[in-house]
Every structure is written in C-alpha cells, then in structure tokens.
Amino acid sequence: MTITESKLWGWINQIQKTEKSWHLFRIESSTINGIPDVNACINGKDFWIELKCNRGKNLGVSKFQSVWHLKRKQSGGKCFILNASSTKRRLEVFEVRESRSRSRCPCITHLGSVQFQFTAAPGLARVRESILLMRGL
C-alpha cells in the first residue's frame, strides 16, 4: 500500500478528534514558500509538522522548506518532518539542522521512528505515538 501525505493527514486528523487537548490544523498555502503542512498544539506545546511520504534525497524537502525550518528553530520554535515510509514500514521523525560542514547546506537529522506491524497502514496508535514523540522533543 502506498501512503500519501493526504492519507497521513487523514490519520492525524482522525486521532485529534478524540483528543480534547490536541489542536492540529492543516495549512494549504501557495503564498508562503516552505511553510510546513500542519500547525500543532498539544497540551500547550506548539510545533509545526512537514508531512512526507518520500524515500528520495533529503526526503524531498525543498530549499524553501529547509530555510523555513531553520528560521523557526533560530527563533525558538519547534518544527519536524514526519515521514511515512511504507517500504521500511515505519513512521520517522526528522528535523532540519544547520550543517557544520563548509558547504553550509542544511542537513536533515533523524530523531526517532515508530515501527508499525500492519501491512496496509501504520494504524492510528502508531501515528499518535509519532505525534507525541515530536511534542516531547
């Protein structure tokens, strides 16, 4: 089964409907380059989530997205990338960090994963676990 960003958002949205202290909002913007897909506030902790379902270079994160993440982090904000990998059968949490190399290109750092046992989809419990992992970081 191929997981799409739309399906991933559907699972997140389904979970938030059962959690009174969760407020997640999907952003559809063509006016602001790089803004993440979801703004989240859980138990008073605010953060942003870029949804990806990609195995490509840098998970398909664009230059604009990397810059947005870095500026937000430099301002004290939190933002993450939630990548659903159907081939690896796991949800992975990443963040964009400044590179320490001479190239100055941002790097994407793996922060954690949640393995899922299901063949078709990760299941709502695993998606919830991934979101809570981000909230706690």
Side-chain angles (χ1 to χ4, degrees), residues 28-48:
E28 298 287 343
S29 176
S30 59
T31 58
I32 304 172
N33 286 330
I35 192 166
D37 299 312
V38 179
N39 178 249
C41 186
I42 298 177
N43 295 324
K45 292 191 177 184
D46 189 74
F47 57 98
W48 290 81

Side-chain angles (χ1 to χ4, degrees), residues 43-61:
N43 295 324
K45 292 191 177 184
D46 189 74
F47 57 98
W48 290 81
I49 307 168
E50 177 64 38
L51 303 176
K52 291 292 182 185
C53 298
N54 201 321
R55 294 182 308 152
K57 183 179 176 185
N58 288 334
L59 305 174
V61 174

Side-chain angles (χ1 to χ4, degrees), residues 45-108:
K45 292 191 177 184
D46 189 74
F47 57 98
W48 290 81
I49 307 168
E50 177 64 38
L51 303 176
K52 291 292 182 185
C53 298
N54 201 321
R55 294 182 308 152
K57 183 179 176 185
N58 288 334
L59 305 174
V61 174
S62 73
K63 179 181 174 182
F64 294 113
Q65 290 169 325
S66 292
V67 168
W68 196 98
H69 278 248
L70 289 174
K71 284 184 178 182
R72 179 59 57 151
K73 283 187 66 174
Q74 290 166 351
S75 300
K78 291 188 175 190
C79 42
F80 304 97
I81 300 162
L82 179 61
N83 186 53
S85 173
S86 54
T87 55
K88 293 181 184 176
R89 296 178 53 194
R90 65 180 174 203
L91 295 166
E92 303 167 306
V93 178
F94 295 87
E95 75 176 349
V96 177
R97 293 186 178 166
E98 287 191 65
S99 176
R100 294 185 179 171
S101 72
R102 290 183 183 162
S103 70
R104 300 274 192 232
C105 294
C107 61
I108 296 177

Side-chain angles (χ1 to χ4, degrees), residues 109-126:
T109 304
H110 185 259
L111 300 176
S113 344
V114 176
Q115 200 74 26
F116 54 89
Q117 309 299 321
F118 309 101
T119 55
L124 296 180
R126 298 295 182 222

